[in-house]
């Protein structure tokens, strides 16, 4: 009888672990649900120079602990290692065991009387990239860009 109790506990613990993992995958799936209409957000900022926009983006992200991954004339990419619950949820979705990161990709284009800033985001690790293009994500990033525009 004692062995049956132990076996039952093992089965229940395994089922509990599987249910938690399934719940985490479902929650992350809802967070990352895709939107077929857009993959990035954009904002047009009148009467500014590309260098001013880039400088302000760099300052904003460095102040919040992001690293500059790449910078060209019209593109800046920032990355940051994910921490806490967000990292745990992302790790359940992605393949491999390497730690996940978040990446913000800004494309900045000079227009006749200002600058257009495009933003796309993704999670990545050493084996996989997951685009953050769900409706809620895009709304949040559009709100960020709108606020960024107001800072000029």
């Amino acid at each position: 009888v004692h062995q049956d109790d132990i076996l039952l506990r093992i089965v229940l613990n395994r089922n509990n672990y599987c249910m938690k993992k399934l719940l985490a995958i479902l929650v992350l799936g809802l967070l990352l649900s895709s939107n077929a209409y857009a993959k990035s957000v954009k904002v047009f900022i009148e009467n500014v120079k590309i260098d001013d926009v880039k400088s302000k983006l760099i300052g904003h992200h460095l102040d919040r602990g992001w690293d500059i991954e790449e910078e060209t004339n019209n593109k800046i990419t920032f990355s940051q290692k994910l921490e806490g619950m967000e990292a745990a949820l992302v790790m359940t979705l992605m393949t491999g065991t390497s730690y996940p990161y978040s990446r913000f990709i800004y494309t900045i284009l000079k227009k006749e009387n200002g600058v257009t800033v495009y933003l796309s985001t993704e999670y990545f690790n050493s084996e996989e990239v997951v685009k953050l293009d769900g409706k809620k994500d895009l709304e949040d990033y559009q709100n960020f860009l709108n606020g960024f525009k107001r800072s000029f």
Side-chain angles (χ1 to χ4, degrees):
V1 177
H2 184 61
Q3 287 179 333
D4 291 339
D5 288 338
I6 293 172
L7 181 59
L8 181 59
R9 285 185 187 144
I10 291 171
V11 168
L12 289 176
N13 284 340
R14 177 171 264 204
N15 286 343
N16 191 22
Y17 171 76
C18 290
M19 290 300 289
K20 285 180 183 176
K21 190 166 185 173
L22 180 61
L23 180 61
I25 291 170
L26 285 171
V27 168
L28 191 59
L30 291 173
L31 291 173
L32 301 176
S33 62
S34 63
N35 178 353
Y37 301 109
K39 300 292 181 196
S40 65
V41 293
K42 70 178 179 177
V43 68
F44 178 73
I45 306 170
E46 291 180 310
N47 303 319
V48 297
K49 298 177 184 175
I50 285 181
D51 288 342
D52 295 337
V53 172
K54 286 174 64 175
S55 178
K56 199 166 248 191
L57 283 171
I58 289 170
H60 173 84
H61 285 78
L62 291 181
D63 287 346
R64 287 158 182 77
W66 290 77
D67 296 319
I68 297 174
E69 190 175 303
E70 176 186 13
E71 182 182 1
T72 65
N73 289 338
N74 64 342
K75 181 179 172 183
I76 308 173
T77 303
F78 299 95
S79 63
Q80 185 177 54
K81 186 176 183 180
L82 295 176
E83 302 288 340
M85 184 59 130
E86 185 178 19
L89 286 171
V90 172
M91 286 180 80
T92 63
L93 177 73
M94 300 180 84
T95 58
T97 58
S98 66
Y99 217 83
Y101 287 77
S102 182
R103 180 183 288 143
F104 278 39
I105 305 161
Y106 293 93
T107 304
I108 306 161
L109 302 175
K110 176 69 178 144
K111 299 292 183 175
E112 195 169 302
N113 60 341
V115 173
T116 300
V117 180
Y118 295 86
L119 170 61
S120 61
T121 60
E122 58 195 23
Y123 288 138
F124 70 98
N125 64 13
S126 63
E127 299 181 31
E128 187 175 8
V129 174
V130 176
K131 299 284 185 189
L132 297 177
D133 56 7
K135 182 179 179 183
K136 177 70 173 127
D137 295 315
L138 294 174
E139 288 172 2
D140 290 344
Y141 300 133
Q142 186 64 57
N143 288 336
F144 166 75
L145 285 181
N146 292 341
F148 180 74
K149 175 182 179 176
R150 286 190 295 272
S151 71
F152 283 92

